[in-house]
Structures are given as structure tokens and as C-alpha cells.
Amino acid sequence: MKIERVELHTIDQPLVQPFRTSFGTEINRPCILITVYSGGLIGWGECVAAHNPGYCYETVGTAWHVLEEFLIPAILGQEIAAPTDIPNYFKRVRGHNLAKAGLENSIWDLFAQAQNVPLSHLWQRQRDRVEVGVSIGIQPTIPALLTQVDNYLSQGYRRIKVKIEPGWEIAPLTAIRQQQPDIRLMADANSAFTLADVPLFQQMDELKLLMIEQPLDHDDIFEHSKLQARIYTPICLDESIHSPMHAQAAIELSACRIINMKVARVGGLTHALAIHELCQQANLPMWCGGMLETGVGRAVNLHLATLPNFTLPADISATDRYYHEDIAEPSFTLNAIDSTITVPNAPGLGVEVQLDRVAKYRQRHGVFN
Ligand code: OSB
Ligand code: MG
């Protein structure tokens, strides 16, 4: 398919409630929506870079720059034979995976639409509903946290993830455990701890957590292998895994027992599929992470999580957990009966972007052809 035109739209939407992690608080969530045009079809992608380089070094500003100056020129006017060729077009750009993923994924949407199939029919779709949980930000008090947990459990979510940081770990997790002895509970540190905290993690072993996500440095694999050898709770790596090579290193070093797959963090669906394959071979379970996406990115995540090795609940919650009004329809709702979200079935992503809403939240617009 020939890439005739690309548009970028930086939007900024207010979150239903502020999302606080060990790296900062998000009140509004920006993203860059990407539109690609080919042969009368329009593909959509979402670049999940945020305002601040807290989760990773990219921001909406760096992503726009890299897209405009390097990634869009690499594909504009090119005849693309298959979406899996895209990493090759981008190979002269080091890093900037969030920017790459947004653009690559929009081309996957184009190809799925051209074949008139849902995106997940381009790979081994194994299920029509994806088991999901909810990720709860750091709260001002333990009672406030317990209220949030009760609220999400009563909505039907059956796996609870809690953000932690030094000073907000054992006490909040213990409080939840006391009220909910049997729920699937896990913690995400977003790299807030060091190896000096081994005793703290050994204490956490008592809490029967499903896993601890990214306890140590954002670009570390080796020290996680040291921590994993000293605790029973499985470590799940998020921030540290940017490529199939990183996944391989983590597996060989026993740095984790689980991987959080974020398609943005690994630079797009082609690499995500490669990592899925590798983890499946190694018998390493995985699950689909989230980046507070709009309906565009959420649809991609749901399609991705239909792959067979996604065996743990995803961080893909219902639309109303994030936004009052999202830019795509239909919005996603939780199937409370089994804590799942249904995978869209229309061609491509299977959601319709509402251009009037994009215009309402848009801060910057660029057209490249
Ligand atoms: O570390 O998993 C993370 C959101 C933004 C940045 C990093 C993370 C998260 C989440 C939210 O935990 C997951 C979601 O519901 O989208
Ligand atoms: Mg995480």
C-alpha cells in the first residue's frame, strides 16, 4: 500500500481522576493521534508519549519531532508490502519506540481494513474476550485506597494492581490483603526501589502478590535477576524491555518470571509479535500493559491480547475508568460476569474515531504529504 498522506493530532483529554505513580501525577492525558491515508482507506494509530519524560524519555514534543523529521519521511510515498516491513524503514532511527509504534500501528490498521478483517485476524487470534484488571494510582490515604478497591471490585474487576513507591508499599498492600484475602493483587513500583530494599520485598512475599512489576531501575535487567533470586514473588518487567533482545536477556538471566507487553514500549506490533513468540517458546507468561490509551490504543491492545501467550489479566480497563468522553466509539465496557472486555469485530481496529471530538481536544495539527 502506498502511503499518500499522514496527519498528526496532539490531543489532551482530562482523566476521570488524577493518576499518580512513583514518577509523577497525570491530570490530563495527552497523546498524538496519527492518521495514514492509502487508496481511499484511513488508518489510525496512537503515540502514547506523555507530557513528562517520567515513564520513559519520550514526550509528546520529542515524539512529534521524531515523527515529523524522520519517521514520516521514511515511509511517505513508499509502497509498503507488509506492515512487518515497517521496522526496516525505521531502522536509521535509534530508540523513540513510542513514536515508531504509533505510526507502525496505524499502518497495521490500514492493512487489516484493506483485507476487510479485524486487526487480530492478521495473527493467531485465540479469543474474543480479554481478561482485564485495573491499575490504581497512589492515593492520599489508605481508606481512600480501600474505597477505590471496593469500587472497582464491585464493578466486576477481578485483578487489582496498586502503584507503590517508598513509603507507600507494605501498609497499603497489607490493608487490601486483610480485607480481600483471595483477590488477585499485584504492585507496580515503576522503578522506585533499589537492591537495598531487598528486605522490603522479602516482607512483601507474605502478601501473596500475583507479581511485583518493575521494582528496580527503568533500564536495568541484571539487578532484577539478583532480586528475583532472593524473593518468591514473581517479578514482572515493564520499563526495561524495549526489544526482543531485551526479552531474551531477561529470560536467560532469570530477571523476571512474567513480562508486561506494551506495544508502544517495544516500538510497534511487529516487535510485539516477535516478543510474544519468544516468551511462548520460553514458557514465560505475559499480559498486555496499558498507557491510559484512548479508544484507538485500547483497541490495539485488545487485539494484541488475543494471542495465546497472554495468559494473565491485562491493564485494559473500561473507557469510563479513564475518560468521561473518549475520542472513539463505541466505548469499551467491562463484562462484569468474567472481568473481560470484548475484542472489536469490525474491520481494522474496529472503532470509529470521532473527528469532532478530536478537534475539540486538539492542541496541534500537522499534515504531511
Ligand atoms: O507502569 O504500567 C505502567 C500508565 C501510564 C504509564 C505507565 C503505567 C501505567 C499504568 C496504567 O499502570 C495502565 C492502564 O490502565 O492503562
Ligand atoms: Mg508498569
Side-chain angles (χ1 to χ4, degrees):
M1 302 185 78
K2 187 170 176 187
I3 306 301
E4 296 154 4
R5 166 191 171 102
V6 180
E7 281 186 48
L8 301 181
H9 324 252
T10 299
I11 62 163
D12 200 23
Q13 297 183 91
L15 288 166
V16 165
Q17 49 174 307
F19 189 67
R20 182 169 159 216
T21 62
S22 62
F23 61 78
T25 304
E26 289 184 273
I27 295 166
N28 286 293
R29 177 68 188 174
C31 72
I32 304 175
L33 291 171
I34 302 171
T35 339
V36 285
Y37 294 78
S38 177
L41 296 173
I42 302 177
W44 284 91
E46 174 173 351
C47 167
V48 297
H51 286 299
N52 302 310
Y55 171 76
C56 69
Y57 60 80
E58 292 180 79
T59 66
V60 275
T62 70
W64 185 290
H65 166 66
V66 170
L67 282 159
E68 175 172 14
E69 300 291 333
F70 307 104
L71 301 177
I72 293 171
I75 59 159
L76 204 57
Q78 300 289 328
E79 188 68 52
I80 308 291
T84 46
D85 291 345
I86 295 296
N88 207 34
Y89 286 92
F90 292 168
K91 70 177 181 229
R92 296 230 169 81
V93 178
R94 292 255 167 92
H96 298 280
N97 282 355
L98 274 44
K100 287 175 177 168
L103 188 52
E104 183 187 313
N105 295 350
S106 69
I107 292 166
W108 280 86
D109 181 27
L110 266 186
F111 273 77
Q113 288 183 48
Q115 293 179 37
N116 206 28
V117 295
L119 180 61
S120 37
H121 284 207
L122 299 185
W123 52 76
Q124 194 189 350
R125 173 165 171 166
Q126 186 101 349
R127 51 182 80 95
D128 296 323
R129 293 149 86 99
V130 169
E131 198 180 3
V132 303
V134 66
S135 171
I136 303 180
I138 295 168
Q139 300 297 313
T141 63
I142 287 178
L145 174 66
L146 294 175
T147 303
Q148 295 268 340
V149 171
D150 280 350
N151 172 33
Y152 287 124
L153 289 175
S154 68
Q155 289 178 32
Y157 291 103
R158 292 207 204 130
R159 188 232 60 190
I160 299 290
K161 163 168 145 181
V162 175
K163 293 290 188 177
I164 58 171
E165 67 180 359
W168 181 262
E169 359 75 355
I170 302 290
L173 290 167
T174 305
I176 298 173
R177 233 338 149 226
Q178 276 169 355
Q179 300 222 328
Q180 304 291 344
D182 299 319
I183 59 161
R184 295 215 260 184
L185 178 64
M186 57 184 279
D188 186 357
N190 290 109
S191 301
F193 296 88
T194 70
L195 272 184
D197 298 307
V198 167
L200 186 90
F201 290 109
Q202 286 171 335
Q203 233 181 308
M204 267 187 225
D205 272 340
E206 306 291 315
L207 295 169
K208 297 189 299 266
L209 301 180
L210 189 57
M211 69 191 87
I212 298 171
E213 191 178 335
Q214 198 71 32
L216 307 180
D217 206 68
H218 72 98
D219 59 0
D220 166 75
I221 294 176
F222 180 58
E223 290 199 342
H224 280 97
S225 74
K226 293 189 171 180
L227 177 60
Q228 184 66 91
R230 298 181 64 184
I231 60 175
Y232 294 107
T233 309
I235 290 177
C236 169
L237 289 179
D238 172 356
E239 280 88 332
S240 311
I241 307 296
H242 297 159
S243 65
M245 199 181 76
H246 286 158
Q248 187 66 41
I251 291 166
E252 286 190 27
L253 283 168
S254 303
C256 63
R257 298 203 194 116
I258 299 170
I259 284 180
N260 168 341
M261 165 65 74
K262 287 184 185 165
V263 60
R265 199 193 59 224
V266 304
L269 283 164
T270 303
H271 287 160
L273 295 173
I275 293 174
H276 171 268
E277 177 79 29
L278 206 144
C279 290
Q280 190 173 29
Q281 300 291 327
N283 260 317
L284 195 92
M286 59 207 300
W287 53 282
C288 185
M291 291 290 288
L292 311 175
E293 287 89 349
T294 73
V296 170
R298 195 172 324 288
V300 172
N301 290 346
L302 283 163
H303 285 288
L304 182 62
T306 64
L307 282 161
N309 201 46
F310 284 85
T311 53
L312 289 159
D315 265 356
I316 309 174
S317 307
T319 304
D320 67 3
R321 179 259 176 277
Y322 308 96
Y323 303 107
H324 294 292
E325 168 192 73
D326 195 5
I327 49 85
E329 291 287 344
S331 55
F332 292 102
T333 52
L334 184 73
N335 303 313
I337 186 146
D338 55 1
S339 192
T340 63
I341 296 182
T342 303
V343 184
N345 258 322
L349 297 176
V351 293
E352 289 288 333
V353 177
Q354 307 297 302
L355 295 173
D356 55 329
R357 296 189 201 158
V358 173
K360 175 171 159 191
Y361 297 111
R362 188 161 59 200
Q363 298 187 327
R364 191 175 179 190
H365 184 206
V367 178
F368 309 93
N369 49 16

